Amino acid sequence: MEAISKNFFLYLSNNKVLDRLAKRFGTNFGADKIVGGETISQAMPIIQKLNHEGLHVTVDHLGEFVASEEEARQRTEECMHSIQAIATHGAQSEVSLKLTSLGLDISRDIVIEHMHRILQEAAKYDITVTIDMEDSSRCGQTLDIYKELKAQYPNLGTVVQSYLYRSDQDLDELSPLDPYLRLVKGAYKESGKVAFPEKRLVDDNLKHLIKKNLLNGHYTAIASHDDAIIDFTKQLVQENNIPNDRFEFQMLYGMRNETQAQLAKEGYKVRVYLPYGEDWYGYFMRRLAERPANIAFALRGIFSK
Ligand SMILES: Cc1cc2nc3c(=O)[nH]c(=O)nc-3n(C[C@H](O)[C@H](O)[C@H](O)COP(=O)(O)OP(=O)(O)OC[C@H]3O[C@@H](n4cnc5c(N)ncnc54)[C@H](O)[C@@H]3O)c2cc1C
């Protein structure tokens, strides 16, 4: 049953008609519980509230299915605008982005040009930018672009997904760059040709990657809501005397709020991934796919309006 609902919501996440409808109706379908509004101005009070509670943030201007150069340029402007807003408000926030939203499916040159503009703006204010990882067909290109840009911009991170067979080798290849990596299980529908089909193996591989990256001395973001992963990390850092300023936990906005607060109280750095924007549909559907309990959560959101 769980597998069916997962596949169903991952299938819906790619539906462009529903995506258009969602844009028309706004975030009223329970999405506002996990999305920080449609503009950076709406997201800013949420960022400030999280900061006030001792939590760090990374904001992501939601955007997928970008098909024109003009749209990719607008997304670039929006990223730069969010960087300026973070700096103006003195907020504790990084920025996350997806290369497809900057034109990856149109041309590599366009993405590189847009990334230079964003990274130069971010460097002015010492704000870190993380490139989210999308589906496996874009993984190689994304990591190549990361490697090219990281040499020039130290404040650049990216994501490695433990469901992919290739990730162990990717960690080896990224290691000489002293990368800032967010390690996750992976959120897309992938075939058994490229990804572990069994959840147990995905979980084991995430533990393996966390251990390897931390013991290699690289700053690591552990992005998971899973207690088993969080407990594993706590034990690992204790056994290996890894100080708290060498890693952070990351969770999505609206997920496991009590755990986020508890970890911060215990002295761990916790970063909340806060998406905002009109294009919330694909993100929302992937979260429903991950956890059936989120469906009840979303339905309560709709009916309590
Ligand atoms: C900050 C952040 C950034 C991410 N960036 C990317 C990215 O760039 N690319 C990408 O592919 N994926 C990304 N992901 C998504 C990630 O790949 C997983 O799909 C997602 O985090 C679900 O896996 P999990 O480890 O959280 O727990 P799961 O494996 O989904 O769940 C394991 C257990 O954790 C507990 N749990 C999980 N969720 C909840 C909840 N909401 N409330 C209570 N308990 C819960 C339950 O006990 C559950 O059985 C990101 C995730 C986070 C947190």
Coordinates of all heavy atoms in Angstrom, one line a residue, residues 132-133 158-164 167 181-188 202 205-207 209-210 220-224 229 250 252:
D132 N 20.8 21.9 -4.8 CA 20.0 20.7 -4.5 C 20.3 19.6 -5.6 O 20.7 20.0 -6.7 CB 18.5 21.0 -4.6 CG 18.0 21.8 -3.4 OD1 18.7 22.0 -2.4 OD2 16.8 22.2 -3.5
M133 N 20.1 18.3 -5.2 CA 20.3 17.3 -6.2 C 18.9 16.9 -6.7 O 18.0 16.6 -5.9 CB 21.0 16.1 -5.7 CG 21.4 15.1 -6.7 SD 22.4 15.8 -8.1 CE 24.0 16.1 -7.3
T158 N 26.7 21.2 -2.3 CA 25.7 20.4 -3.1 C 25.3 19.2 -2.3 O 25.6 19.1 -1.1 CB 26.3 20.0 -4.5 OG1 25.2 19.5 -5.2 CG2 27.4 19.0 -4.4
V159 N 24.5 18.3 -2.9 CA 23.9 17.2 -2.2 C 24.3 15.9 -2.8 O 24.4 15.8 -4.1 CB 22.3 17.4 -2.4 CG1 21.6 16.3 -1.7 CG2 21.9 18.7 -1.8
V160 N 24.4 14.9 -2.0 CA 24.7 13.5 -2.4 C 23.6 12.6 -1.9 O 23.3 12.7 -0.7 CB 26.1 13.0 -2.0 CG1 26.3 11.5 -2.3 CG2 27.2 13.8 -2.8
Q161 N 23.0 11.8 -2.7 CA 21.9 11.0 -2.4 C 22.3 9.5 -2.1 O 22.9 8.9 -3.0 CB 20.8 11.0 -3.5 CG 20.3 12.4 -3.8 CD 19.8 12.5 -5.3 OE1 20.5 12.0 -6.2 NE2 18.7 13.1 -5.5
S162 N 21.9 8.9 -1.0 CA 22.4 7.6 -0.7 C 21.7 6.5 -1.4 O 22.2 5.4 -1.5 CB 22.3 7.3 0.8 OG 21.0 7.1 1.2
Y163 N 20.6 6.8 -2.1 CA 19.9 5.7 -2.9 C 20.7 5.4 -4.2 O 20.4 4.4 -4.8 CB 18.4 6.0 -3.1 CG 17.9 7.2 -3.9 CD1 18.8 7.9 -4.7 CD2 16.6 7.5 -3.9 CE1 18.3 9.0 -5.4 CE2 16.1 8.6 -4.6 CZ 16.9 9.3 -5.4 OH 16.4 10.4 -6.1
L164 N 21.6 6.3 -4.6 CA 22.3 6.0 -5.9 C 23.5 5.2 -5.6 O 24.3 5.4 -4.7 CB 22.7 7.4 -6.5 CG 21.6 8.3 -7.0 CD1 22.2 9.5 -7.7 CD2 20.6 7.6 -7.9
S167 N 27.1 7.0 -5.5 CA 27.4 8.1 -4.5 C 28.7 7.9 -3.8 O 29.4 8.9 -3.4 CB 26.2 8.3 -3.5 OG 25.1 8.8 -4.3
L181 N 28.9 19.3 1.8 CA 27.9 18.3 1.3 C 26.7 18.1 2.2 O 26.9 18.0 3.5 CB 28.5 17.0 1.0 CG 29.5 16.9 -0.1 CD1 30.0 15.5 -0.3 CD2 28.9 17.4 -1.4
R182 N 25.5 18.2 1.6 CA 24.3 17.7 2.4 C 24.0 16.3 1.9 O 24.0 16.0 0.7 CB 23.1 18.6 1.9 CG 21.8 18.1 2.5 CD 20.6 18.8 1.8 NE 20.6 20.2 1.8 CZ 20.0 20.9 0.9 NH1 19.4 20.4 -0.1 NH2 20.1 22.2 0.9
L183 N 24.0 15.4 2.9 CA 23.8 14.0 2.6 C 22.3 13.6 2.9 O 21.8 13.9 4.0 CB 24.7 13.1 3.4 CG 26.2 13.4 3.2 CD1 27.1 12.5 4.1 CD2 26.6 13.2 1.7
V184 N 21.7 13.0 1.9 CA 20.2 12.7 2.0 C 20.0 11.3 1.5 O 20.9 10.7 0.8 CB 19.3 13.7 1.2 CG1 19.5 15.1 1.6 CG2 19.6 13.5 -0.3
K185 N 18.8 10.8 1.7 CA 18.5 9.4 1.1 C 18.1 9.6 -0.4 O 18.5 8.7 -1.2 CB 17.3 8.8 1.9 CG 17.7 8.4 3.3 CD 16.5 7.8 4.0 CE 16.9 7.6 5.5 NZ 15.8 7.1 6.3
G186 N 17.4 10.6 -0.8 CA 17.0 10.8 -2.2 C 15.5 10.8 -2.3 O 14.8 9.9 -1.7
A187 N 15.0 11.7 -3.1 CA 13.5 11.9 -3.1 C 12.8 11.6 -4.4 O 11.6 11.7 -4.5 CB 13.2 13.4 -2.8
Y188 N 13.6 11.1 -5.4 CA 12.9 11.0 -6.8 C 12.6 9.5 -7.0 O 13.2 8.6 -6.4 CB 13.8 11.6 -7.9 CG 14.0 13.1 -7.7 CD1 14.9 13.6 -6.8 CD2 13.1 13.9 -8.4 CE1 15.0 15.0 -6.6 CE2 13.2 15.3 -8.2 CZ 14.1 15.8 -7.3 OH 14.2 17.2 -7.1
V202 N 19.4 1.7 1.4 CA 19.5 3.2 1.2 C 19.9 3.7 2.6 O 20.8 4.6 2.7 CB 18.2 3.8 0.8 CG1 18.3 5.3 0.7 CG2 17.7 3.2 -0.6
N205 N 23.5 2.8 3.4 CA 24.4 3.6 2.6 C 24.5 5.0 3.1 O 25.6 5.6 3.1 CB 24.1 3.6 1.1 CG 25.2 4.0 0.2 OD1 26.4 3.7 0.5 ND2 24.9 4.7 -0.8
L206 N 23.4 5.6 3.6 CA 23.5 7.0 4.1 C 24.4 7.0 5.4 O 25.3 7.8 5.5 CB 22.1 7.5 4.5 CG 22.1 8.9 5.1 CD1 22.7 9.9 4.1 CD2 20.6 9.3 5.4
K207 N 24.3 5.9 6.2 CA 25.2 5.9 7.4 C 26.7 5.8 6.9 O 27.6 6.5 7.4 CB 24.9 4.7 8.3 CG 23.6 4.8 9.0 CD 23.3 3.6 9.8 CE 21.9 3.7 10.4 NZ 21.4 2.4 10.9
L209 N 28.0 6.9 4.1 CA 28.4 8.2 3.5 C 28.7 9.2 4.6 O 29.6 10.0 4.5 CB 27.4 8.7 2.5 CG 27.1 7.8 1.3 CD1 26.0 8.4 0.4 CD2 28.4 7.6 0.4
I210 N 27.8 9.2 5.6 CA 28.0 10.2 6.7 C 29.3 9.9 7.4 O 30.1 10.8 7.6 CB 26.8 10.1 7.7 CG1 25.5 10.6 7.1 CG2 27.2 10.8 9.0 CD1 24.3 10.2 8.0
T220 N 29.8 18.5 7.2 CA 28.7 17.6 6.6 C 27.4 18.0 7.2 O 27.2 18.2 8.4 CB 29.0 16.1 7.0 OG1 30.3 15.8 6.6 CG2 28.0 15.2 6.4
A221 N 26.4 18.2 6.3 CA 25.0 18.4 6.7 C 24.3 17.1 6.6 O 24.2 16.5 5.5 CB 24.4 19.4 5.8
I222 N 23.7 16.6 7.7 CA 23.0 15.4 7.7 C 21.5 15.7 7.6 O 20.9 16.2 8.6 CB 23.3 14.6 9.0 CG1 24.8 14.2 9.0 CG2 22.4 13.3 9.1 CD1 25.6 15.0 9.9
A223 N 20.9 15.5 6.4 CA 19.5 16.0 6.2 C 18.6 14.8 6.2 O 18.4 14.1 5.2 CB 19.4 16.7 4.9
S224 N 18.0 14.5 7.4 CA 17.1 13.4 7.5 C 16.2 13.6 8.7 O 16.6 14.2 9.7 CB 17.9 12.1 7.8 OG 17.1 11.0 8.1
I229 N 19.1 7.6 11.9 CA 20.2 8.3 11.2 C 20.7 9.4 12.2 O 21.9 9.6 12.4 CB 19.7 9.0 9.9 CG1 19.3 8.0 8.9 CG2 20.8 9.9 9.3 CD1 20.3 7.0 8.4
Q250 N 19.9 18.8 9.3 CA 19.0 19.6 8.5 C 17.6 18.9 8.4 O 17.6 17.7 8.2 CB 19.5 19.9 7.0 CG 20.8 20.7 7.0 CD 21.2 21.1 5.6 OE1 20.6 20.7 4.6 NE2 22.2 22.0 5.5
L252 N 13.3 19.5 7.0 CA 12.4 20.4 6.2 C 11.5 21.2 7.1 O 11.1 20.7 8.1 CB 11.6 19.5 5.2 CG 12.4 18.6 4.2 CD1 11.5 17.7 3.4 CD2 13.3 19.5 3.3

